[in-house]
Amino acid sequence: MSSTIRGSDNFDSSIIDYSKMPVGSVIQSKFINSNYSWGSVGHASVWALTWLDITLTTKATNSSFLIMAQYAADDTNSGSFGIGIGSQYSTNGGSSWNDLIYAAAHEDYNAVGADKYKVARHSTMFTLSLPIGTTVIFRVTGRFNNSNGQQFLGNGAPYYAQRHTVLEIK
């Protein structure tokens, strides 16, 4: 079973002139809270949590973006377990991706073979040199240190095991 909540706060540009808002103003926000059932990842390479992709069109030139993301995972009780989280963006419809933060395999790590649960999370801010009106896709990436990572969807409802929020800041 999967559940997803999506939201946005986009101001009406016919009413609000973004160019007159002070520097540091949040000019748009989008978020996704999901409990998507993604199964397991059978490799140690970076993988994309595509169901958390956020697409927005820039409201200002050279904006900063506050990006917050997390996902929960379990191991298969087989050996060590490491988890990492990253962020990417694309300005060409997703045909190529630029890393903002590369997902490290040992960001949070245990070297024991017992059962382990982890939550990978980050909050970071970047300024991108993009003109107004640029369509940008923001993506969350994950990585495990070996091939024993799998979903953890929580022990009760509501529980959203994956989250992604992007704020555009002037």
Side-chain angles (χ1 to χ4, degrees):
M1 168 133 190
S2 296
S3 60
T4 301
I5 297 175
R6 296 178 185 273
S8 65
D9 186 7
N10 292 306
F11 305 108
D12 185 345
S13 60
S14 65
I15 298 171
I16 297 173
D17 183 355
Y18 298 111
S19 66
K20 294 184 179 177
M21 292 178 75
V23 172
S25 297
V26 174
I27 54 179
Q28 70 174 308
S29 64
K30 289 191 176 185
F31 72 90
I32 298 172
N33 292 331
S34 178
N35 212 24
Y36 178 75
S37 180
W38 49 271
S40 63
V41 175
H43 57 78
S45 301
V46 173
W47 53 283
L49 288 77
T50 57
W51 59 94
L52 295 179
D53 284 1
I54 289 179
T55 302
L56 58 83
T57 302
T58 58
K59 305 288 185 193
T61 300
N62 301 330
S63 294
S64 295
F65 297 90
L66 178 59
I67 303 163
M68 298 164 280
Q70 77 174 44
Y71 72 95
D74 182 16
D75 71 338
T76 57
N77 303 332
S78 57
S80 63
F81 184 52
I83 187 172
I85 189 168
S87 288
Q88 297 178 328
Y89 76 97
S90 176
T91 57
N92 56 15
S95 61
S96 65
W97 294 90
N98 304 291
D99 283 316
L100 293 167
I101 298 175
Y102 185 76
H106 293 92
E107 193 170 330
D108 189 358
Y109 177 78
N110 288 100
V112 295
D115 194 19
K116 293 164 287 301
Y117 296 89
K118 302 277 186 188
V119 177
R121 59 177 60 97
H122 71 72
S123 297
T124 191
M125 192 163 177
F126 290 93
T127 299
L128 300 176
S129 297
L130 301 172
I132 190 171
T134 302
T135 299
V136 185
I137 306 169
F138 290 93
R139 175 167 283 175
V140 178
T141 58
R143 189 169 176 204
F144 300 119
N145 74 305
N146 55 32
S147 59
N148 64 344
Q150 63 187 8
Q151 69 189 9
F152 175 70
L153 298 179
N155 294 322
Y159 180 88
Y160 297 105
Q162 310 101 33
R163 298 177 183 153
H164 189 199
T165 302
V166 177
L167 305 178
E168 181 180 5
I169 300 171
K170 182 178 174 191

